[in-house]
Amino acid sequence: MKNIILIAAALLLGFVEKPVREIRLSNPQFVGATPRLTTDHHNNPVLSWTEKEGDKSHFYFSVSEDGGRTFGPKIRVKTPPVFSTHAEGMPKVAFKKDGTILAVFEVSKPTPDAPRASDLLYVTSTDGGQTWAEPKTVHRDVTPGKGHSFSNVSRLPNGEIGIAWLDEKAPGKEGRTVKFAQTVAGGGFGKEVLVDDNACQCCRTNVFVDNQNRIHVTYRDLLDDGARDISQAVSTDGGRTFTNPKVVYNDGWKINACPHTGPDVAQVGQDLFVTWFSGGDKPGIKLARLGSPELVASRVSERTKHPQMTTVNGQLVWVWDESMALKNADGESRFIQRIGMRKLVDGRVTPVTYITPTEVNAAYPVVLATKKGLLVAYEQQKEGQNSVIVSRWVESF
């Protein structure tokens, strides 16, 4: 079965779908994966993804100049023929305020003593992606056998790009360090800032800028008692320093392995929300309001994973993928994955709506609020077809 990435219509309370033309973006000869949504320096929606051709992968992005109703031509990012394409360490693009495009990606650099070692590389383009500079490392330490991976990027209030990632272990620690850096005028990255010295080893990080220009770095921690709960540190000085990390919610999940699933953050008014997957006695996805000891909502099932969020017209949109069993007319069961969605409206969580049909498998959703609507992207599997990228714009009122 082949992966299909689809940007689908999400028809919920507050969203009204207008007749729009479905747009296919990708080459149907290859396998699409790891969609990601962000914005450029004009706040236009940007969709990035990978296309796999055997052992080789290519990285692309496309920009919408009409709020998500259509997308322009796909632009290929200059990368090595082999780089990481898994969802927790997917390649990413970000746009500086001056229009410079930054793309980051992980490249495996194994050694006999460190088979999982990797470098975090970046390339830049100053002409809209037509040409690219040669790859350079984000991190300063390029010693063979060390690990630098699981990054996230975001445009900062100063117009530069902030990046968080998991770095090499600190002496005497079981987990990995969390570091933050940002681009500087003239190119390259500035000083590396240590955010945490002992985090979970292989879950994605998150960088979020709130409406007061504070920078939040959120990640799965590795606490002294062995729990792998979600923590967050905040910078109020533009990323020069961060507060001591605080646990978002006391899950107490202890597992001698890495969950390989990180958090996401969104804001409604002055409230920040964090969502993540947790195992333990009540496995499933969680939704918490930062600073509150109680959960806002949860979906208790080990089959619900990869939650993501955005805010549209003051309402929180929460999506995830969920595995479920379906029976045919003969009573035979089969498992499929669907994209679930809920909204937080005036403090009330709406019932679950599934936005993908039962005829296909869909996973790893991502969401983006535009000036005029909502975009949802995800990986979809359909029997007998190659990968495609499909976009659809949903207008909100």
Side-chain angles (χ1 to χ4, degrees):
M1 297 177 68
K2 301 292 186 178
N3 288 337
I4 297 174
I5 300 178
L6 174 67
I7 300 182
L11 183 57
L12 289 175
L13 293 175
F15 296 102
V16 179
E17 185 180 358
K18 297 289 187 180
V20 294
R21 183 170 60 92
E22 187 175 85
I23 302 170
R24 299 190 178 216
L25 295 142
S26 65
N27 190 330
Q29 296 181 0
F30 306 132
V31 178
T34 60
R36 182 175 181 267
L37 289 166
T38 187
T39 58
D40 69 6
H41 55 303
H42 297 304
N43 210 32
N44 293 315
V46 178
L47 170 63
S48 63
W49 70 93
T50 58
E51 294 182 12
K52 300 178 182 179
E53 181 184 4
D55 294 334
K56 298 180 180 180
S57 298
H58 304 298
F59 182 36
Y60 298 95
F61 71 90
S62 181
V63 179
S64 171
E65 295 184 349
D66 55 10
R69 285 171 285 188
T70 63
F71 278 85
K74 70 180 187 180
I75 299 172
R76 182 174 171 179
V77 178
K78 182 180 180 179
T79 63
V82 179
F83 57 92
S84 175
T85 60
H86 65 84
E88 293 299 289
M90 69 175 76
K92 303 169 182 72
V93 294
F95 289 71
K96 296 175 67 171
K97 183 180 180 180
D98 66 5
T100 300
I101 306 171
L102 177 92
V104 296
F105 45 90
E106 299 173 15
V107 176
S108 180
K109 296 285 186 177
T111 66
D113 296 329
R116 296 182 180 178
S118 61
D119 280 344
L120 187 61
L121 304 181
Y122 74 95
V123 293
T124 58
S125 174
T126 58
D127 56 9
Q130 300 306 305
T131 61
W132 296 88
E134 291 300 313
K136 297 180 181 180
T137 57
V138 171
H139 42 89
R140 297 182 178 180
D141 187 353
V142 294
T143 306
K146 293 191 176 182
H148 319 272
S149 50
F150 300 96
S151 68
N152 188 249
V153 291
S154 182
R155 186 168 55 252
L156 303 179
N158 63 3
E160 299 293 337
I161 302 300
I163 182 169
W165 73 95
L166 300 184
D167 208 80
E168 187 63 16
K169 292 182 178 181
K173 299 292 185 178
E174 179 183 355
R176 296 172 65 182
T177 56
V178 180
K179 290 188 175 181
F180 175 87
Q182 60 183 290
T183 57
V184 295
F189 282 88
K191 179 183 177 181
E192 297 177 4
V193 180
L194 180 65
V195 178
D196 196 322
D197 65 355
N198 193 44
C200 189
Q201 298 92 331
C202 53
C203 292
R204 71 174 73 182
T205 55
N206 182 275
V207 180
F208 182 84
V209 179
D210 68 21
N211 58 21
Q212 297 184 32
N213 290 336
R214 296 173 297 191
I215 304 169
H216 301 255
V217 174
T218 312
Y219 53 94
R220 190 176 296 276
D221 212 340
L222 181 54
L223 304 178
D224 291 341
D225 64 355
R228 296 177 185 262
D229 293 346
I230 303 299
S231 289
Q232 184 178 97
V234 184
S235 174
T236 59
D237 58 9
R240 291 187 292 274
T241 63
F242 283 82
T243 61
N244 290 329
K246 292 185 179 180
V247 174
V248 172
Y249 177 79
N250 185 22
D251 270 329
W253 183 23
K254 299 179 181 180
I255 181 174
N256 190 27
C258 185
H260 213 65
T261 173
D264 196 30
V265 179
Q267 185 169 18
V268 179
Q270 298 304 310
D271 291 328
L272 264 71
F273 294 84
V274 182
T275 186
W276 70 96
F277 171 83
S278 178
D281 296 335
K282 295 181 179 180
I285 57 172
K286 311 290 178 68
L287 175 63
R289 181 183 288 104
L290 200 63
S292 173
E294 303 295 330
L295 290 174
V296 175
S298 64
R299 182 80 171 160
V300 180
S301 171
E302 62 183 4
R303 297 176 180 172
T304 58
K305 295 181 179 180
H306 310 121
Q308 295 284 291
M309 299 184 297
T310 192
T311 303
V312 181
N313 288 342
Q315 300 173 358
L316 188 74
V317 178
W318 186 31
V319 298
W320 64 90
D321 60 51
E322 183 171 347
S323 177
M324 59 187 67
L326 296 179
K327 290 186 177 181
N328 60 21
D330 298 326
E332 298 173 333
S333 296
R334 64 182 179 92
F335 277 92
I336 66 165
Q337 281 186 293
R338 302 183 71 186
I339 305 301
M341 179 181 285
R342 301 179 79 176
K343 292 174 61 182
L344 182 66
V345 182
D346 296 328
R348 179 178 60 88
V349 180
T350 63
V352 175
T353 300
Y354 292 101
I355 64 174
T356 54
T358 58
E359 293 80 17
V360 297
N361 285 289
Y364 298 105
V366 290
V367 285
L368 177 71
T370 73
K371 296 177 181 178
K372 299 180 180 179
L374 175 72
L375 294 176
V376 184
Y378 51 88
E379 294 184 12
Q380 180 172 286
Q381 294 181 330
K382 191 173 183 180
E383 189 70 39
Q385 292 188 9
N386 270 335
S387 298
V388 294
I389 302 289
V390 179
S391 68
R392 189 174 298 165
W393 168 67
V394 183
E395 185 177 3
S396 63
F397 293 91

